Amino acid sequence: MRHLFLSSAIVLAVAAFANAFAAEPWVRVDSGTLAWLRTIHFPDARNGWIGGSDGILLRSTDGGVQWSKAESPTANDIKDVFFSSPKRGWILAEASPFGRSGVSTELFETADGGDTWSPIAIESGSERFVRFVPGFDGGIGFIVGEMGTILTPTADKSRFTRTRFSSKALLMSGQMTSQSRGTIVGGNGTILYTEDAGGTWMPATVPSSRSRLNSVYYVDTKLGWAVGAKGRIFSTDDGGKKWQDVSPVVDIDLNDVYFVDAKTGFAAGDDGVVLRTNDGGSTWVRELTSMNRRFERIGFNGTAAFLVGFGGIILTDRSALGRQKPDRIF
């Protein structure tokens, strides 16, 4: 009788564990590294790229199932990777502020799918940069960084020059939603929008907040979201001129936001926090990850979402499998 009781208890415990595991929507993918992974990008359903500390560069050719180390053009921290097609891509790297290198910002371009990388010249200056703002022509529109500074490509795309806004806030993220319209977000609750392809940037109407905004994402020319420190989430339905506070009750920094469509979106940040909405951001639910890590960026391969962050962590969302990314509608 005792053996029967123990056997039943073991079966119940195993079943409970299996059910708990099955209920968790996020599962780990082997990265083969303990580097701080800072960025992830899929130019199509099969090809993916991840960049991180000490020049780590990972590549996947099977939609993110397996990742392997790729030849990196730098030993500095890779802050951002963007590919406009499987062949054409860019890397943004920054030297450690505590290092001895005299060069802080590095920019590289590939035209052969990452087999070789060529440096792109950048106007000298002390400001550091953190993220690409892809242009609507398939290239890089801007690069945002410290002291309200952006890098803008010259007409022939041969080099990038510095432009500084009157605002001195750290600029963290941006998106162009058409050839002429776009948004940039950053420190002190900064949200700027342009309607003339970056010729002028104007301050948006934003709820009173000095929290740093770390990421912005639009699903079309009007509907967008921005996330940042202390769990702040803002939304816009007019292309970025006016924003509303839709923050959930989460006092944890959010580092990135991504929407699959107008209803389904993810936000991720510190302490392993992952939020999901199925109603366009009106309500957010925290999802289980079993990882108390800092998540930096969210990627999407067309059917599945991915998270990357501190300690070489890569997670993928099994509930996203089968969901299709819509065609670009802006």
Side-chain angles (χ1 to χ4, degrees):
M1 189 72 178
R2 181 182 178 186
H3 290 297
L4 178 62
F5 175 79
L6 289 175
S7 298
S8 299
I10 292 172
V11 169
L12 289 173
V14 171
F17 176 80
N19 288 335
F21 179 79
E24 184 174 318
W26 295 90
V27 293
R28 188 162 186 175
V29 179
D30 183 30
S31 68
T33 180
L34 294 177
W36 191 335
L37 304 180
R38 297 185 179 274
T39 180
I40 180 171
H41 180 71
F42 288 90
D44 61 18
R46 298 196 62 83
N47 292 283
W49 294 86
I50 292 174
S53 59
D54 298 323
I56 189 72
L57 185 63
L58 305 179
R59 182 178 186 179
S60 174
T61 57
D62 58 8
V65 176
Q66 295 180 318
W67 296 86
S68 59
K69 289 185 178 180
E71 189 70 28
S72 177
T74 180
N76 289 325
D77 290 353
I78 295 178
K79 297 293 188 180
D80 208 0
V81 175
F82 174 74
F83 275 72
S84 61
S85 71
K87 291 294 185 182
R88 189 180 182 211
W90 295 264
I91 284 176
L92 172 67
E94 282 285 343
S96 167
F98 308 106
R100 298 179 179 180
S101 173
V103 178
S104 57
T105 302
E106 294 181 309
L107 185 60
F108 301 93
E109 181 178 17
T110 182
D112 56 14
D115 291 337
T116 59
W117 295 88
S118 302
I120 300 177
I122 300 172
E123 181 182 353
S124 62
S126 59
E127 299 90 355
R128 307 172 70 82
F129 295 88
V130 297
R131 196 159 176 175
F132 292 128
V133 180
F136 221 72
D137 60 353
I140 300 299
F142 307 97
I143 305 173
V144 294
E146 292 179 332
M147 298 297 291
T149 306
I150 65 172
L151 292 173
T152 305
T154 55
D156 62 1
K157 312 291 186 181
S158 64
R159 64 193 302 265
F160 280 73
T161 59
R162 277 170 159 79
T163 301
R164 179 177 288 182
F165 298 141
S166 57
S167 168
K168 304 302 182 187
L170 170 65
L171 302 176
M172 293 294 296
S173 175
Q175 184 178 346
M176 297 299 295
T177 59
S178 72
Q179 291 284 6
S180 58
R181 301 182 68 176
T183 297
I184 288 175
V185 303
N188 296 324
T190 297
I191 302 183
L192 305 171
Y193 70 92
T194 182
E195 295 181 319
D196 59 6
T200 57
W201 293 87
M202 296 163 284
T205 302
V206 185
S208 178
S209 170
R210 298 187 66 84
S211 295
R212 187 175 80 182
L213 296 174
N214 295 319
S215 180
V216 62
Y217 191 84
Y218 283 85
V219 293
D220 55 34
T221 57
K222 294 186 178 296
L223 193 58
W225 296 264
V227 303
K230 299 182 179 179
R232 301 306 293 269
I233 303 180
F234 297 147
S235 69
T236 181
D237 58 10
D238 66 0
K241 294 181 181 180
K242 186 176 180 179
W243 295 76
Q244 301 80 39
D245 192 336
V246 293
S247 302
V249 186
V250 176
D251 191 27
I252 298 174
D253 289 359
L254 300 174
N255 301 317
D256 202 19
V257 60
Y258 187 96
F259 270 71
V260 175
D261 52 40
K263 294 294 185 181
T264 306
F266 301 92
D270 292 358
D271 299 333
V273 66
V274 180
L275 305 177
R276 178 172 175 165
T277 179
N278 292 314
D279 58 10
S282 296
T283 58
W284 296 81
V285 176
R286 184 165 181 175
E287 296 199 322
L288 297 175
T289 63
S290 299
M291 290 287 173
N292 190 26
R293 304 283 183 88
R294 174 185 171 98
F295 297 127
E296 292 282 357
R297 296 285 284 276
I298 305 168
F300 195 71
N301 69 0
T303 56
F306 290 78
L307 302 171
V308 298
F310 183 77
I313 190 69
I314 305 175
L315 299 183
T316 187
D317 172 33
R318 22 161 137 229
S319 70
L321 296 175
R323 186 187 304 126
Q324 296 296 323
K325 183 176 180 180
D327 292 334
R328 176 177 274 184
I329 56 177
F330 54 90

